[in-house]
Amino acid sequence: MTHAQVIDKVLANIDKVMIGKRDIAELSVTALLAGGHVLLEDVPGVGKTMMVKALAKSIGATFKRIQFTPDLLPSDVLGVSIYNPKEMEFEFRPGPIVGNIVLADEINRTSPKTQAALLESMEESSVTVDGETIRIPQPFFVMATQNPIEYEGTYPLPEAQLDRFLFKLKMGYPKRLEEVQVLARAEKTVPIDHLETVLTIRELTELQHAVKEVNVDDTIKTYIVDCASETRNNPYVYLGVSPRGSLALMKSCQAYALIKGRTYVTPDDVKYLAPFVFGHRIILKSEAKYEGITANEIVERILTKISVPIERVKLK
């Protein structure tokens, strides 16, 4: 069975729960294979939490959920050291961040101090408590959610935190017939309860290693850098995409190519994924906000402006 066929089994499994969200499921798996994290921003009730649960259950990974609230402390996320009088030493009790797949629910409802507690774990795959560094078991994948409608009592994520997410995605409302199917499936049963594991942790690790073997031609790398550089020179952009953003786009393109059954990245991969990778890494000037221009629209304009590589990609 090819890598693409194995991944398709996971996507088909998620489809049993998430109707009409194949693209979001595909992008979520892309981020997982690339070793990144995802920020899901949308209104309540469209299936953000269900998407994460379905992905975790399909893989058979350990699933942890953190409900962020204003009074949540960093130790509630990372864990604490507790003194054991019998052993006469401190023992580390890991927090919910120590898991394979972690759902950070309503991440913008907690304080910046607690949000910052996620930085090391997401970037370094480890937590530091009382000077001791504890590695988080691999694979490690964080999918955070936030509600863009209610801003009272919330703390917008700082740029440093947003940059830790590979993708920023929006679920969107289902279509009419899709919503009817949702009601039909949930009439007498809960679909997520009957979801079975179709991929082991070992198989997932092998897929993540396979992603690194996907070829990225020099012309594609140049194309990615040109797109990132253009965001830094755009008149509507105050802060453009950093080299970390360019690297994130390349890695996500490698994972996406593997999902599509290819051993190489194409310009179309770059064009498709760039808005999801670059959109939340751009800070717009006030002029763009006044004119109603979004970061994703800026990225789309840049993609139409930059010349697409026409030289044939060399296959290995």
Side-chain angles (χ1 to χ4, degrees):
M1 187 177 292
T2 65
H3 293 318
Q5 290 172 329
V6 173
I7 297 169
D8 192 65
K9 286 173 57 180
V10 178
L11 296 174
N13 206 45
I14 297 175
D15 284 343
K16 296 177 182 178
V17 176
M18 304 298 300
I19 300 173
K21 301 300 179 184
R22 178 80 175 207
D23 56 338
I24 301 298
E26 198 172 67
L27 289 168
S28 299
V29 173
T30 298
L32 175 62
L33 295 179
H37 309 284
V38 171
L39 176 63
L40 276 175
E41 183 181 75
D42 219 317
V43 298
V46 293
K48 301 187 296 294
T49 301
M50 191 62 67
M51 173 65 74
V52 189
K53 288 183 177 180
L55 180 59
K57 207 162 184 180
S58 297
I59 297 171
T62 57
F63 173 72
K64 301 291 184 67
R65 182 178 184 272
I66 309 172
Q67 179 62 55
F68 284 89
T69 57
D71 61 346
L72 197 72
L73 299 175
S75 58
D76 296 328
V77 176
L78 303 179
V80 294
S81 292
I82 300 176
Y83 183 72
N84 186 337
K86 185 177 180 180
E87 301 293 335
M88 298 184 67
E89 62 181 16
F90 283 91
E91 294 180 351
F92 175 68
R93 300 290 176 85
I97 193 64
V98 182
N100 294 129
I101 296 183
V102 180
L103 168 61
D105 217 355
E106 296 187 295
I107 191 174
N108 59 332
R109 289 204 174 278
T110 196
S111 67
K113 185 177 182 179
T114 305
Q115 290 175 356
L118 289 174
L119 288 175
E120 182 191 2
S121 59
M122 292 175 61
E123 186 68 18
E124 305 296 337
S125 295
S126 63
V127 298
T128 301
V129 178
D130 296 333
E132 182 181 355
T133 300
I134 296 93
R135 298 295 299 176
I136 297 176
Q138 295 298 313
F140 175 57
F141 177 63
V142 175
M143 186 174 279
T145 70
Q146 67 177 9
N147 179 2
I149 304 301
E150 298 177 6
Y151 288 103
E152 293 184 6
T154 63
Y155 304 86
L157 292 173
E159 286 71 30
Q161 181 80 9
L162 283 173
D163 201 38
R164 262 53 179 189
F165 291 101
L166 183 65
F167 294 152
K168 182 180 179 181
L169 308 176
K170 295 182 182 293
M171 297 285 289
Y173 286 113
K175 296 178 181 178
R176 179 172 176 268
L177 292 179
E178 291 171 349
E179 192 165 357
V180 171
Q181 285 182 279
V182 171
L183 299 182
R185 286 189 183 182
E187 182 180 3
K188 297 180 180 179
T189 184
V190 181
I192 190 71
D193 292 342
H194 302 286
L195 215 58
E196 297 180 353
T197 298
V198 295
L199 187 70
T200 64
I201 293 294
R202 182 178 177 179
E203 290 173 324
L204 174 59
T205 302
E206 291 175 354
L207 288 173
Q208 289 179 325
H209 286 308
V211 166
K212 300 176 183 178
E213 301 301 320
V214 174
N215 183 56
V216 185
D217 192 79
D218 288 342
T219 57
I220 301 295
K221 294 173 185 172
T222 302
Y223 182 45
I224 291 174
V225 171
D226 288 343
C227 291
S229 298
E230 191 63 29
T231 66
R232 304 163 196 163
N233 302 316
N234 192 282
Y236 287 108
V237 177
Y238 173 73
L239 183 66
V241 175
S242 67
R244 181 188 290 168
S246 301
L247 186 60
L249 180 55
M250 184 187 73
K251 288 183 176 180
S252 59
C253 286
Q254 287 178 289
Y256 187 73
L258 187 74
I259 290 176
K260 295 302 180 181
R262 286 185 272 103
T263 58
Y264 57 92
V265 173
T266 68
D268 284 339
D269 297 334
V270 178
K271 294 179 71 174
Y272 174 63
L273 295 174
F276 304 115
V277 178
F278 285 175
H280 61 289
R281 289 180 163 87
I282 293 175
I283 299 179
L284 300 179
K285 293 181 179 178
S286 55
E287 292 90 331
K289 297 177 182 178
Y290 292 147
E291 295 181 27
I293 300 175
T294 65
N296 278 14
E297 289 174 343
I298 295 293
V299 176
E300 295 286 356
R301 293 181 184 183
I302 288 173
L303 291 172
T304 58
K305 180 179 179 181
I306 302 296
S307 299
V308 178
I310 57 176
E311 180 181 341
R312 183 179 179 182
V313 180
K314 299 176 182 178
L315 306 183
K316 286 188 176 181

